[in-house]
mmCIF file of all heavy atoms in Angstrom:
data_model
loop_
_atom_site.group_PDB
_atom_site.id
_atom_site.type_symbol
_atom_site.label_atom_id
_atom_site.label_comp_id
_atom_site.label_asym_id
_atom_site.label_seq_id
_atom_site.Cartn_x
_atom_site.Cartn_y
_atom_site.Cartn_z
ATOM 1 N N LEU R 84 -47.720 140.378 180.872
ATOM 2 C CA LEU R 84 -48.342 141.123 181.942
ATOM 3 C C LEU R 84 -47.374 142.068 182.562
ATOM 4 O O LEU R 84 -47.868 143.220 182.950
ATOM 5 C CB LEU R 84 -48.899 139.949 183.092
ATOM 6 C CG LEU R 84 -49.423 140.621 184.291
ATOM 7 C CD1 LEU R 84 -50.729 141.393 184.009
ATOM 8 C CD2 LEU R 84 -49.763 139.457 185.279
ATOM 9 N N ASP R 85 -46.213 141.727 182.902
ATOM 10 C CA ASP R 85 -45.268 142.571 183.519
ATOM 11 C C ASP R 85 -45.145 143.891 182.686
ATOM 12 O O ASP R 85 -45.093 145.052 183.148
ATOM 13 C CB ASP R 85 -43.926 141.916 183.762
ATOM 14 C CG ASP R 85 -44.080 140.930 184.834
ATOM 15 O OD1 ASP R 85 -44.953 140.929 185.707
ATOM 16 O OD2 ASP R 85 -43.222 140.005 184.797
ATOM 17 N N GLN R 86 -44.873 143.563 181.355
ATOM 18 C CA GLN R 86 -44.531 144.751 180.459
ATOM 19 C C GLN R 86 -45.798 145.630 180.403
ATOM 20 O O GLN R 86 -45.523 146.876 180.348
ATOM 21 C CB GLN R 86 -44.136 144.237 179.086
ATOM 22 C CG GLN R 86 -43.866 145.187 178.045
ATOM 23 C CD GLN R 86 -43.421 144.540 176.740
ATOM 24 O OE1 GLN R 86 -44.092 143.647 176.224
ATOM 25 N NE2 GLN R 86 -42.518 145.282 176.058
ATOM 26 N N LEU R 87 -46.897 145.182 180.158
ATOM 27 C CA LEU R 87 -48.102 145.965 179.959
ATOM 28 C C LEU R 87 -48.440 146.768 181.218
ATOM 29 O O LEU R 87 -48.720 147.942 181.252
ATOM 30 C CB LEU R 87 -49.276 145.295 179.406
ATOM 31 C CG LEU R 87 -50.592 146.096 179.253
ATOM 32 C CD1 LEU R 87 -50.266 147.197 178.238
ATOM 33 C CD2 LEU R 87 -51.733 145.219 178.651
ATOM 34 N N ALA R 88 -48.302 146.043 182.438
ATOM 35 C CA ALA R 88 -48.683 146.627 183.735
ATOM 36 C C ALA R 88 -47.711 147.846 184.004
ATOM 37 O O ALA R 88 -48.027 148.789 184.379
ATOM 38 C CB ALA R 88 -48.602 145.553 184.829
ATOM 39 N N ASP R 89 -46.386 147.598 183.644
ATOM 40 C CA ASP R 89 -45.347 148.697 183.880
ATOM 41 C C ASP R 89 -45.652 149.901 182.982
ATOM 42 O O ASP R 89 -45.529 150.974 183.450
ATOM 43 C CB ASP R 89 -44.036 148.076 183.517
ATOM 44 C CG ASP R 89 -43.548 147.181 184.542
ATOM 45 O OD1 ASP R 89 -44.133 146.963 185.719
ATOM 46 O OD2 ASP R 89 -42.576 146.388 184.178
ATOM 47 N N ARG R 90 -46.066 149.677 181.792
ATOM 48 C CA ARG R 90 -46.391 150.773 180.944
ATOM 49 C C ARG R 90 -47.711 151.557 181.514
ATOM 50 O O ARG R 90 -47.547 152.892 181.432
ATOM 51 C CB ARG R 90 -46.833 150.307 179.504
ATOM 52 C CG ARG R 90 -45.591 149.674 178.825
ATOM 53 C CD ARG R 90 -46.020 148.934 177.429
ATOM 54 N NE ARG R 90 -46.629 150.014 176.593
ATOM 55 C CZ ARG R 90 -47.235 149.615 175.368
ATOM 56 N NH1 ARG R 90 -47.364 148.350 175.083
ATOM 57 N NH2 ARG R 90 -47.659 150.550 174.561
ATOM 58 N N ILE R 91 -48.724 150.976 181.855
ATOM 59 C CA ILE R 91 -49.840 151.647 182.438
ATOM 60 C C ILE R 91 -49.417 152.449 183.730
ATOM 61 O O ILE R 91 -49.883 153.540 183.998
ATOM 62 C CB ILE R 91 -51.029 150.560 182.756
ATOM 63 C CG1 ILE R 91 -51.552 150.074 181.341
ATOM 64 C CG2 ILE R 91 -52.143 151.292 183.341
ATOM 65 C CD1 ILE R 91 -52.520 149.014 181.455
ATOM 66 N N ILE R 92 -48.761 151.645 184.600
ATOM 67 C CA ILE R 92 -48.369 152.326 185.940
ATOM 68 C C ILE R 92 -47.454 153.512 185.744
ATOM 69 O O ILE R 92 -47.584 154.600 186.259
ATOM 70 C CB ILE R 92 -47.800 151.401 186.936
ATOM 71 C CG1 ILE R 92 -48.823 150.181 187.323
ATOM 72 C CG2 ILE R 92 -47.140 151.894 188.065
ATOM 73 C CD1 ILE R 92 -48.240 149.054 187.806
ATOM 74 N N GLU R 93 -46.477 153.324 184.663
ATOM 75 C CA GLU R 93 -45.594 154.463 184.433
ATOM 76 C C GLU R 93 -46.431 155.663 183.845
ATOM 77 O O GLU R 93 -46.108 156.891 184.274
ATOM 78 C CB GLU R 93 -44.639 154.032 183.370
ATOM 79 C CG GLU R 93 -43.503 155.054 183.065
ATOM 80 C CD GLU R 93 -42.518 154.585 182.083
ATOM 81 O OE1 GLU R 93 -42.480 153.432 181.803
ATOM 82 O OE2 GLU R 93 -41.741 155.418 181.647
ATOM 83 N N ALA R 94 -47.349 155.352 183.033
ATOM 84 C CA ALA R 94 -48.239 156.404 182.418
ATOM 85 C C ALA R 94 -48.982 157.165 183.472
ATOM 86 O O ALA R 94 -49.098 158.391 183.562
ATOM 87 C CB ALA R 94 -49.075 155.962 181.264
ATOM 88 N N ALA R 95 -49.515 156.373 184.534
ATOM 89 C CA ALA R 95 -50.382 156.931 185.557
ATOM 90 C C ALA R 95 -49.662 157.721 186.523
ATOM 91 O O ALA R 95 -50.198 158.616 187.112
ATOM 92 C CB ALA R 95 -51.094 155.876 186.251
ATOM 93 N N ALA R 96 -48.337 157.498 186.644
ATOM 94 C CA ALA R 96 -47.478 158.233 187.592
ATOM 95 C C ALA R 96 -47.554 159.733 187.047
ATOM 96 O O ALA R 96 -47.151 160.667 187.802
ATOM 97 C CB ALA R 96 -46.140 157.625 187.544
ATOM 98 N N ASP R 97 -47.698 159.971 185.744
ATOM 99 C CA ASP R 97 -47.685 161.277 185.169
ATOM 100 C C ASP R 97 -49.176 161.702 184.930
ATOM 101 O O ASP R 97 -49.751 162.351 185.762
ATOM 102 C CB ASP R 97 -46.932 161.341 183.809
ATOM 103 C CG ASP R 97 -47.043 162.754 183.285
ATOM 104 O OD1 ASP R 97 -47.145 163.656 184.053
ATOM 105 O OD2 ASP R 97 -46.707 162.874 181.992
ATOM 106 N N ARG R 98 -49.706 161.180 183.946
ATOM 107 C CA ARG R 98 -51.198 161.275 183.662
ATOM 108 C C ARG R 98 -51.604 160.261 182.633
ATOM 109 O O ARG R 98 -51.074 160.057 181.668
ATOM 110 C CB ARG R 98 -51.488 162.643 183.080
ATOM 111 C CG ARG R 98 -53.006 162.848 182.729
ATOM 112 C CD ARG R 98 -53.246 164.275 182.081
ATOM 113 N NE ARG R 98 -52.986 165.360 183.106
ATOM 114 C CZ ARG R 98 -53.858 165.642 184.044
ATOM 115 N NH1 ARG R 98 -55.076 165.014 184.126
ATOM 116 N NH2 ARG R 98 -53.552 166.559 184.931
#
Side-chain angles (χ1 to χ4, degrees):
L84 174 60
D85 292 339
Q86 183 181 35
L87 181 54
D89 288 346
R90 291 172 65 192
I91 291 173
I92 293 164
E93 181 179 352
D97 179 24
R98 177 177 295 276

